[in-house]
Amino acid sequence: MFVDRSIDPTADQVRALRDGGPDGPITMVNLLKFRAQARYEDGDEAPCTGREAYARYKHAFTRTVGEVSQARVLYEGPVGQVFIGTPGTAATDWDDVLIVRYPSRQHFLAMMADPRYRESLRHRYAGLERTVLLQCASGD
């Protein structure tokens, strides 16, 4: 099975965050559209939904590499309604929003480089149909 890497940041996006990102805490806003059925490249996982596969990925960055990422989930939940925008379009059709705060961009980048985190990406690829990740500076 082909793994869709379009849900990964580009090298330029990673460099921009590494070299010129904000100082201090950052917040990542994830817009998530799950696959109805997870698609594992190697087929060695028991069948599950995309949401369940993504939960395995989330466990990795909050628990498995939590000491590296120091990720704190600020909000996680379903999209209730489209309040502004046209419902049913790709721009507004999301299942969940996940908002995660990191103490710094260095924490986020260290997480991305951790081998245990990189191994967990298989669950992200299996579970997500598409995503948008918005990096925001967090004011204290």
Side-chain angles (χ1 to χ4, degrees):
M1 167 144 323
F2 171 76
V3 173
D4 180 7
R5 302 264 193 246
S6 70
I7 64 172
D8 284 342
T10 65
D12 287 342
Q13 290 167 324
V14 173
R15 269 192 298 279
L17 180 61
R18 181 194 69 206
D19 299 342
D23 292 327
I26 62 169
T27 300
M28 295 297 205
V29 177
N30 300 259
L31 304 178
L32 307 168
K33 183 68 176 175
F34 301 113
R35 297 179 192 279
Q37 198 65 30
R39 288 194 240 163
Y40 283 94
E41 183 176 29
D42 52 18
D44 70 347
E45 293 285 334
C48 66
T49 66
R51 183 183 298 277
E52 290 166 331
Y54 190 83
R56 295 171 185 163
Y57 163 72
K58 188 176 88 104
H59 184 271
F61 72 79
T62 58
R63 302 281 186 238
T64 305
V65 297
E67 74 282 355
V68 174
S69 71
Q70 295 184 28
R72 191 176 79 198
V73 175
L74 301 179
Y75 175 81
E76 177 181 17
V79 173
Q81 75 171 18
V82 176
F83 191 68
I84 297 176
T86 306
T89 64
T92 62
D93 183 25
W94 300 102
D95 295 322
D96 278 15
V97 175
L98 175 65
I99 304 173
V100 183
R101 185 168 193 222
Y102 300 86
S104 70
R105 62 189 160 103
Q106 290 81 10
H107 285 85
F108 181 80
L109 294 166
M111 174 194 72
M112 289 180 62
D114 188 286
R116 296 167 298 168
Y117 170 80
R118 299 196 61 72
E119 170 60 27
S120 75
L121 287 172
R122 59 194 297 277
H123 302 300
R124 185 173 180 269
Y125 297 134
L128 288 177
E129 180 179 313
R130 60 190 169 83
T131 188
V132 171
L133 179 59
L134 305 170
Q135 179 263 304
C136 308
S138 297
D140 280 335

